[in-house]
Every structure is written in structure tokens, then in C-alpha cells.
Amino acid sequence: MNIAIIGTGNVGGALATGWSKKGHQIFLGVRNPENFKGKEFLSLPNISACPIEEAVKQSEVLVICTPAKETLNVIKSLGDTTGKIIIDTMNTIQKNSSNLDSSTSETILKNTQSKDVVKCFNTTGANNLLNPKYGETNLDMFMAGDSTRGKDIAKHLTLDLGFTNCYDVGGNDKFALMEEFAFFWINLAMFQKLGREIGFKLLKR
């Protein structure tokens, strides 16, 4: 697939690295293709950089990995998103009176043409996106959204990264729950000082 990744920090870089190895064409959407954080990713196969709106035009899937406080600015820079699948990896760490939406995904839905918005890749650290393997076990991923089409793509891309499964948490009404789940990982890893090398696995019997 052609995938536009908006945001080239730890999360965007991890996703670009993993998907490029699986043969996906990655377009890093940046404000200045000549000078941006993560320029080293251009040395990997199947990765190029271009202005954000151009990356969107060339891609079927848009993955937003910027800080949550930049959500509206990023949305304005995307251009026409009609027919595009948008995967939101962001988490709103601090909510305030100027941010009345329950999640970044809700803000995206309200301000873009696309209705195929999925929350995914937000519930664990970038280190686990790069390597979800723990001994003989691979971690699981989770997603939420009303878009069946978007979820099918998100699950496919999750498996490409090496996760065992991508579990469906529910529809658009579960966007905020996904962010709370992310805070649970952040709390354990950072505030409870367990470190980033932890992850979630769903067990059944």
C-alpha cells in the first residue's frame, strides 16, 4: 500500500521502519522535505519525504503520529481526505477547556472529509511497535472505530509489524477508552517505573 505518515518522531519512525520492510511505499508528510526530524529514515527502502498535502494525495492510508496538541493544525494541512483511511495514533495527555472533544480521533472526524477513521497503535510504546516480540510471545494490538474498511487495513498493518492480533474494541464511541488504555500503559511504564519494555497480551481459555 501507499501510506502517508504525518509525524516523524518515535512512533512515526517506528511505523515507517516496520512497514517499509514489508514492501509498503511510505511517504513521510513533512513541512520541509529538505530539513525535518527523522531524515535518517530516508536511508531505508521504500521511504521518501514530501510536503504533507502531496503525501496525502499519493496515499490510500494516512497515519497521524504528531503530538495531540497539533491535531487541528495537522488536519488543516492534509488537504482533501475524501476516500482516505485515517489511522490516529495520538493520545491527548492533558485535556483543557479549549479541547472539548473526548479524543483526537473525534476531532479528526469532525474536521476532515473522511469518515474512515480508526484509532490504533496508540496503546503501547514506539519500542514495541519496532519489536513486539517478548521471548516466544508476540504482543497484541487494539483498535476502535466505526469503519470496517479502516479496521481491515489497520489489522493488516498490525500483523505486518509482527503483532499476533489486533482486537476490535468497538466503534467511534470507544475512541476515548483507547486513550485511557494508553494512559494505563504510560502509568505503568513511566509513573510506576516499570520501564518501557512492557506490553499487553490478551489470553483466552
Side-chain angles (χ1 to χ4, degrees):
M1 286 181 283
N2 286 0
I3 304 171
I5 295 181
I6 317 301
T8 55
N10 293 336
V11 171
L15 295 175
T17 299
W19 291 332
S20 70
K21 292 177 181 177
K22 287 294 183 177
H24 297 294
Q25 188 64 48
I26 308 300
F27 297 94
L28 302 178
V30 297
R31 300 193 187 280
N32 180 4
E34 301 302 319
N35 184 23
F36 62 94
K37 180 181 180 180
K39 197 171 182 180
E40 66 273 13
F41 297 122
L42 297 180
S43 64
L44 300 175
N46 306 316
I47 298 180
S48 59
C50 56
I52 294 173
E53 194 165 345
E54 183 61 29
V56 171
K57 287 179 181 178
Q58 296 191 66
S59 303
E60 308 136 67
V61 181
L62 319 179
V63 184
I64 303 180
C65 310
T66 58
K69 64 182 180 180
E70 296 297 324
T71 302
L72 275 176
N73 289 334
V74 170
I75 290 170
K76 292 175 183 177
S77 71
L78 297 177
D80 187 6
T81 62
T82 303
K84 309 288 186 180
I85 291 168
I86 301 178
I87 298 177
D88 174 22
T89 74
M90 300 181 290
N91 293 304
T92 307
I93 303 300
Q94 293 180 324
K95 290 183 170 60
N96 55 51
S97 59
S98 63
N99 176 24
L100 301 180
D101 294 329
S102 62
S103 74
T104 53
S105 302
E106 186 179 343
T107 302
I108 292 170
L109 269 173
K110 286 181 178 179
N111 293 278
T112 60
Q113 295 86 2
S114 175
K115 299 306 175 189
D116 290 308
V117 176
V118 177
K119 190 84 159 180
C120 193
F121 307 112
N122 70 305
T123 57
T124 196
N127 56 307
N128 288 327
L129 298 177
L130 272 175
N131 179 19
K133 192 172 185 64
Y134 281 69
E136 298 301 313
T137 301
N138 285 27
L139 299 177
D140 291 320
M141 183 53 67
F142 306 87
M143 60 183 173
D146 287 349
S147 171
T148 300
R149 174 172 166 251
K151 284 179 174 177
D152 286 345
I153 294 297
K155 183 169 185 176
H156 176 79
L157 291 175
T158 298
L159 300 182
D160 278 351
L161 292 175
F163 288 83
T164 299
N165 205 342
C166 186
Y167 289 98
D168 190 345
V169 174
N172 292 352
D173 62 326
K174 297 299 187 292
F175 286 152
L177 178 63
M178 287 283 286
E179 293 199 10
E180 292 297 330
F181 192 9
F183 299 154
F184 187 77
W185 184 90
I186 291 168
N187 175 63
L188 290 176
M190 309 304 176
F191 301 115
Q192 306 309 317
K193 303 187 186 307
L194 294 185
R196 299 176 63 86
E197 298 301 319
I198 60 172
F200 299 120
K201 179 72 181 177
L202 184 64
L203 301 179
K204 295 182 178 181
R205 66 178 176 187

